[in-house]
Amino acid sequence: MEKTDIKSLYYKELEELFLAMGEKPFRARQAYRWLHIKHAVSFEQMTDISKELKEKLRNACDITVLRQERVQQSKIDGTRKYLFALGDGNMVESVWMRYHHGNSVCVSSQAGCRMGCRFCASTQGGLLRNLTAAEMLEQVYRIQEDTGERVSHVVVMGMGEPLDNYENFLRFVRLLSDEKGARISQRNITASTCGLVPNIRRLAEERLQITLALSLHAPSQEKRLSLMPVAKKYGLTEVLEACSDYFAKTGRRITYEYSLMGGINDSPQDARQLAGLLKGRGCHVNLIPVNPVEGLDYTQPSLQRVSNFKNILEKYGINVTIRREMGRDIDGACGQLRKRYLKRKAEFV
Ligand code: SAH
């Protein structure tokens, strides 16, 4: 019989499991604390749980733990990039960043990705598998243990498409923000999607307070389709409408991400067209100079061009930030550390 993935259980479900084992509910509270606050890696560590119960738990459940395979630290800004091995040997990346408002972790939601965005390193080998809620939580927990510092913000912008792994992603958000557990405020959680419309609509109904970010990257359907195959299934008009409805339902402003790629989507004309699309929408645009990926020839526009793009949007009253590049010296874009690791395992130091 397959064992229960105990770290992916909601508090209520853990209580039910304990009741079914003939245990008192307060025992579930103890175990939940060990898992989500103390980040225990084994039942042995749970010192206030009896030997008999530990034995029962060992027989019925597994504790998911990620193994830290590699870590690189930026000399410029202290950003730490982690490569974690999952139980089955698949690899995922996570990034730890220190900001003035607290520490932020960028979490992966899938091993690989099947969305096929042309400029992205994570999608190049296709989708290997979805991560469980526990595997997403573990990226935060292991990093917290490794740095010895509390994580206050989480962005689901690592490898994978969170809305292509909907149930596990939702479970992750609820566990991560649980008052009895990790207690990371939903207002400090951001999830980025390439635009899976039905699941954006579904998410709007979940009554969450997280921020949704849409990877827009182009001001027209035609241009977006040339960069993002997902646009074939869910067109620009449709995805923007789903985002407006998300804002209306949740009261949470959408962040639109726009990776600037030299000569592709960074002209003044593109900026004006983008402004036309977004005007009056209660939104925020995050401009990201593209991270060059080995083997792909997308290049960053000059600083002048980036700031010109920003100025045009601002002239139209749009709220814009340019994403500060973190960890520039340690394998820039998502998916690159893993890619390099898999390719050159032997020569990697
Ligand atoms: N699947 C989610 C999360 C992807 S990663 C999504 O598509 O939104 C988070 C952001 O980084 C997305 O906006 C993604 O389009 C962007 N991104 C991917 N590769 C990039 C690169 N090489 N340079 C800049 N941004 C990139």
Side-chain angles (χ1 to χ4, degrees):
M1 201 182 74
E2 203 168 304
K3 291 187 180 180
T4 302
D5 168 16
I6 192 169
K7 201 176 283 174
S8 288
L9 296 182
Y10 291 130
Y11 183 74
K12 270 255 149 275
E13 294 169 336
L14 192 65
E15 253 184 7
E16 282 158 19
L17 180 83
F18 274 53
L19 284 173
M21 284 179 170
E23 296 291 335
K24 299 247 162 29
F26 81 92
R27 294 278 172 216
R29 196 165 64 230
Q30 289 174 325
Y32 195 81
R33 281 183 58 83
W34 279 110
L35 293 168
H36 296 284
I37 296 176
K38 299 185 184 170
H39 308 149
V41 297
S42 70
F43 293 112
E44 282 65 48
Q45 291 179 316
M46 304 184 179
T47 46
D48 53 5
I49 286 180
S50 73
K51 222 171 135 201
E52 294 71 39
L53 179 52
K54 277 183 199 158
E55 186 58 28
K56 272 200 256 180
L57 287 171
R58 246 195 314 271
N59 290 333
C61 306
D62 271 328
I63 302 182
T64 297
V65 181
L66 300 195
R67 196 180 71 238
Q68 189 175 311
E69 193 71 26
R70 286 284 185 275
V71 60
Q72 295 183 312
Q73 175 150 343
S74 163
K75 292 190 177 64
I76 303 168
D77 53 35
T79 294
R80 289 170 72 79
K81 189 149 196 174
Y82 292 82
L83 186 70
F84 288 114
L86 309 178
D88 61 0
N90 275 311
M91 300 283 171
V92 293
E93 284 184 25
S94 324
V95 186
W96 179 84
M97 290 157 288
R98 180 183 267 139
Y99 291 103
H100 60 274
H101 57 253
N103 296 321
S104 178
V105 169
C106 175
V107 168
S108 291
S109 56
Q110 297 178 314
C113 182
R114 57 178 181 150
M115 296 297 127
C117 298
R118 305 268 184 255
F119 46 83
C120 180
S122 302
T123 200
Q124 289 180 342
L127 175 67
L128 298 169
R129 72 167 172 85
N130 284 330
L131 300 197
T132 63
E135 286 167 336
M136 288 183 246
L137 287 168
E138 264 290 287
Q139 298 171 53
V140 180
Y141 296 174
R142 279 316 118 213
I143 289 178
Q144 233 162 227
E145 290 298 316
D146 185 57
T147 58
E149 292 185 29
R150 190 181 139 72
V151 169
S152 57
H153 290 66
V154 168
V155 297
V156 188
M157 293 192 182
M159 299 174 65
E161 166 53 48
L163 298 191
D164 188 37
N165 182 14
Y166 189 87
E167 299 292 346
N168 292 336
F169 162 70
L170 188 64
R171 191 171 269 275
F172 163 68
V173 169
R174 293 200 163 127
L175 284 166
L176 189 67
S177 55
D178 185 6
E179 277 296 308
K180 293 192 179 69
R183 301 186 62 163
I184 295 184
S185 159
Q186 286 188 3
R187 289 178 171 267
N188 292 351
I189 302 174
T190 298
S192 176
T193 178
C194 62
L196 299 178
V197 168
N199 284 348
I200 292 175
R201 297 200 170 280
R202 219 169 133 196
L203 193 65
E205 304 295 334
E206 309 281 359
R207 305 271 161 257
L208 300 176
Q209 281 297 298
I210 64 170
T211 299
L212 184 66
L214 176 75
S215 297
L216 190 54
H217 304 323
S220 69
Q221 166 64 10
E222 193 193 359
K223 205 170 263 195
R224 192 162 187 264
L225 186 55
S226 73
L227 296 169
M228 304 174 70
V230 68
K232 185 160 190 218
K233 199 152 180 198
Y234 307 111
L236 185 59
T237 317
E238 204 185 338
V239 79
L240 288 177
E241 202 178 285
C243 286
S244 291
D245 292 348
Y246 185 93
F247 175 45
K249 280 237 159 76
T250 62
R252 305 287 296 158
R253 280 194 319 172
I254 303 285
T255 296
Y256 293 94
E257 290 161 283
Y258 195 102
S259 284
L260 286 164
M261 302 169 218
I264 293 185
N265 62 358
D266 64 336
S267 71
Q269 162 68 13
D270 289 320
R272 283 190 291 272
Q273 207 175 349
L274 181 63
L277 271 186
L278 299 182
K279 223 170 29 175
R281 271 176 186 272
C283 70
H284 176 110
V285 173
N286 201 359
L287 296 176
I288 316 160
V290 72
N291 268 305
V293 173
E294 209 184 300
L296 303 177
D297 48 358
Y298 296 103
T299 55
Q300 292 191 353
S302 66
L303 281 179
Q304 179 61 45
R305 217 163 149 87
V306 172
S307 86
N308 193 27
F309 198 95
K310 175 172 187 263
N311 292 340
I312 294 174
L313 291 178
E314 283 176 341
K315 256 205 322 244
Y316 285 88
I318 292 172
N319 193 315
V320 194
T321 47
I322 298 176
R323 187 186 291 171
R324 188 154 64 96
E325 200 174 358
M326 303 287 275
R328 202 192 160 86
D329 51 335
I330 50 164
D331 282 305
C334 317
Q336 298 211 62
L337 174 59
R338 168 176 168 270
K339 191 173 139 187
R340 223 158 63 100
Y341 179 79
L342 296 179
K343 208 167 96 190
R344 297 202 288 262
K345 217 169 175 172
E347 56 184 271
F348 200 102
V349 283

